[in-house]
Amino acid sequence: MTSVNLPDLQLRNYEKTQENDNKITKFIHASDIHLGSHQYRNENRANDFIFAFEEILSKAITHQVDFILLGGDVFTSLEMLPGKLTKIVNILRDFKNKTDERILIIAIEGNHDIRKFSRGVRFNHRGQSWLKFIASLGLIVLLDADINASPEDIFKPYDFRVRKGGKIQVKNVVIYGSRYLKEKPEDYLLTLKEGIIKDDGNFHILLQHFGIEGQMEHVPGVNYVRIKHLKERINYLALGHYHLQFILEDWVYNPGSSEAACSTDFSFKRGAFLVTITKEDKYVKEVKKIKLSNRASRWETIYFKTEFRTKGKIYEYIIHKLKRSFDLGKNLNLAPSNIHIPVLFLVLKGKKPFYRCKIDPKELTQVICENLPVVDVRIYQKFSNDLTTIDTFV
Ligand SMILES: [Mn+2]
């Protein structure tokens, strides 16, 4: 009765999937894709984030999952170049067509999806996001809760006609989700819990964007002890936010960022989860870790033994040292778009150059990229008499 005059086939296809054998439900849980990262700085690196997203979608097809969960920070900010957004929309359209709309992409907004940097100032403009935009095109299912509503209305069933809702059922799995809320999650989670139906015989997933205290050093997070009570109503807490992968007590899952969004991400264990839920007498869950291809990286340290007096000499010395360290035969024929061409982390140590030849990181990066098979360079100047660090990522 609801399938008359629908804007597209989405609902009808969704209803069809509900008629399938529901003994086994499979999904991929990924997060922090950060589409749009590096788009102004490095075209090849910007495309890495799109590649990682495409890889997640293609894994979903290979493993024939029922849906994909994205735990927020799908976009890195509200600023998106039109060309990049067009590419993403086309990828999602292709995915829809290729899969006959049988694999839903279910997402929530993370803090990055709703933030914007403008002239060094960060501000939130509530209510807008690119996720809302692609949801309005019917390309994803965007979940959000109404925390001020009465318990039964906190999570409204997803309505494909208006493309809004707080929960959606796929076979016997119900996914509840809400956007990143600025308030302390420990508090609002108590309210959200009231909206989750207890003992309805379904497997419950709650999709959220926050970290757990202690999983990442010096990064604020939610106190685990204070949210443990959610386990009474949730079988799988699907998180995003921390870029480092972690699993807690077999019910809290954080996949980590899908591509390295900042220099520290390169050293983190990250990826996605492939989850199979089988209904026996009770639900049996199997979680496999999926590694994504990702851009290569390498560290090099160069010591200045003498005090250089011209910039030209410095650059010459660096290129000479790097050429000796790189196995040049190996990657010579690869284009920088190839993910095997690394991001170089370059540490400069030793005698600080003469004050008149200050190293220009942008210029040095360009010189290195022109002379060696690297896609981008991050330069750290750690001279013995000066301990400043240059890392342009914000
Ligand atoms: Mn993130």
Side-chain angles (χ1 to χ4, degrees):
M1 59 188 163
T2 49
S3 42
V4 203
N5 295 329
L6 272 174
D8 58 26
L9 293 167
Q10 207 175 15
L11 179 58
R12 231 180 303 158
N13 282 320
Y14 165 72
E15 282 171 346
K16 238 189 277 168
T17 60
Q18 301 308 296
E19 294 158 10
N20 293 348
D21 168 35
N22 62 8
K23 239 189 111 196
I24 296 174
T25 313
K26 264 184 173 185
F27 66 90
I28 279 180
H29 171 200
S31 190
D32 296 81
I33 324 279
H34 283 270
L35 297 167
S37 276
H38 301 284
Q39 59 182 341
Y40 300 107
R41 224 178 82 91
N42 188 310
E43 176 71 11
N44 289 308
R45 279 293 286 139
N47 287 332
D48 289 349
F49 295 82
I50 298 178
F51 289 151
F53 187 45
E54 285 183 292
E55 196 178 357
I56 291 164
L57 298 182
S58 92
K59 299 252 184 218
I61 295 174
T62 312
H63 295 287
Q64 296 185 304
V65 302
D66 297 285
F67 57 90
I68 298 169
L69 295 179
L70 301 177
D73 284 5
V74 179
F75 291 91
T76 207
S77 79
L78 286 173
E79 288 173 1
M80 273 303 287
L81 289 171
K84 289 276 170 285
L85 190 66
T86 307
K87 209 167 172 180
I88 292 157
V89 167
N90 287 335
I91 287 167
L92 288 167
R93 281 221 175 101
D94 283 352
F95 179 74
K96 241 175 113 152
N97 295 335
K98 241 190 267 175
T99 59
D100 284 329
E101 298 196 47
R102 264 193 287 262
I103 304 175
L104 288 177
I105 301 172
I106 301 163
I108 53 162
E109 289 169 349
N111 52 316
H112 274 265
D113 291 299
I114 53 174
R115 88 170 166 186
K116 180 182 159 100
F117 290 97
S118 187
R119 295 173 199 277
V121 181
R122 182 201 297 182
F123 66 92
N124 292 333
H125 192 83
R126 246 298 26 98
Q128 295 189 41
S129 74
W130 291 117
L131 280 176
K132 281 206 181 81
F133 172 68
I134 55 176
S136 77
L137 297 176
L139 298 171
I140 62 160
V141 166
L142 183 64
L143 296 181
D144 197 8
D146 183 358
I147 196 141
N148 300 312
S150 54
E152 62 277 13
D153 285 330
I154 291 175
F155 294 101
K156 293 193 185 70
Y158 193 79
D159 183 338
F160 281 92
R161 287 159 304 175
V162 293
R163 289 168 176 148
K164 270 185 184 149
K167 64 176 173 186
I168 187 162
Q169 179 157 3
V170 179
K171 297 179 178 177
N172 40 36
V173 175
V174 185
I175 303 107
Y176 294 84
S178 76
R179 72 179 138 93
Y180 168 81
L181 292 161
K182 253 197 151 173
E183 300 89 272
K184 275 233 145 218
E186 287 106 326
D187 301 330
Y188 74 72
L189 282 169
L190 269 173
T191 313
L192 289 187
K193 185 183 171 189
E194 296 303 309
I196 297 169
I197 302 163
K198 213 179 162 186
D199 303 326
D200 62 353
N202 292 316
F203 186 93
H204 292 170
I205 296 174
L206 178 65
L207 190 55
Q208 286 290 298
H209 190 79
F210 62 77
I212 304 274
E213 206 175 78
Q215 295 300 316
M216 272 182 84
E217 248 181 284
H218 312 302
V219 184
V222 170
N223 185 313
Y224 178 63
V225 179
R226 288 194 57 202
I227 62 150
K228 225 177 152 176
H229 61 88
L230 287 170
K231 211 177 169 180
E232 294 159 21
R233 298 195 188 187
I234 294 156
N235 304 86
Y236 185 107
L237 180 58
L239 294 180
H241 191 46
Y242 279 7
H243 289 188
L244 173 79
Q245 186 172 98
F246 68 86
I247 299 173
L248 265 178
E249 294 187 351
D250 210 26
W251 76 288
V252 181
Y253 292 87
N254 185 74
S257 55
S258 43
E259 175 55 80
C262 58
S263 43
T264 45
D265 281 18
F266 279 99
S267 64
F268 291 162
K269 189 176 176 189
R270 300 173 293 104
F273 297 122
L274 172 66
V275 186
T276 310
I277 313 289
T278 313
K279 193 177 182 182
E280 307 285 348
D281 300 332
K282 55 181 185 123
Y283 288 106
V284 180
K285 174 183 73 208
E286 186 201 23
V287 181
K288 278 189 188 153
K289 291 171 187 165
I290 295 180
K291 232 183 119 29
L292 300 168
S293 304
N294 277 197
R295 173 68 65 174
S297 69
R298 67 185 282 168
W299 283 84
E300 294 286 343
T301 303
I302 295 177
Y303 291 90
F304 289 3
K305 285 181 194 138
T306 52
E307 186 191 16
F308 286 106
R309 296 186 82 84
T310 68
K311 232 170 24 176
K313 281 266 180 263
I314 295 173
Y315 293 174
E316 208 177 281
Y317 182 73
I318 290 170
I319 296 299
H320 168 74
K321 283 281 178 191
L322 288 177
K323 277 192 171 164
R324 272 177 49 177
S325 162
F326 271 65
D327 180 4
L328 287 176
K330 216 176 119 200
N331 289 331
L332 210 57
N333 298 319
L334 298 180
S337 59
N338 189 300
I339 54 164
H340 294 108
I341 299 294
V343 170
L344 172 66
F345 295 99
L346 180 62
V347 186
L348 302 176
K349 283 184 169 174
K351 281 205 174 125
K352 194 181 177 183
F354 191 53
Y355 74 96
R356 273 209 207 120
C357 47
K358 223 172 155 217
I359 293 168
D360 174 358
K362 240 180 169 174
E363 190 182 55
L364 179 56
T365 295
Q366 202 191 332
V367 173
I368 294 171
C369 287
E370 279 165 8
N371 284 280
L372 287 131
V374 298
V375 67
D376 199 8
V377 191
R378 242 350 96 70
I379 298 155
Y380 304 88
Q381 301 189 53
K382 305 221 164 185
F383 299 112
S384 48
N385 42 352
D386 174 30
L387 289 168
T388 50
T389 301
I390 293 178
D391 191 350
T392 46
F393 186 83
V394 185

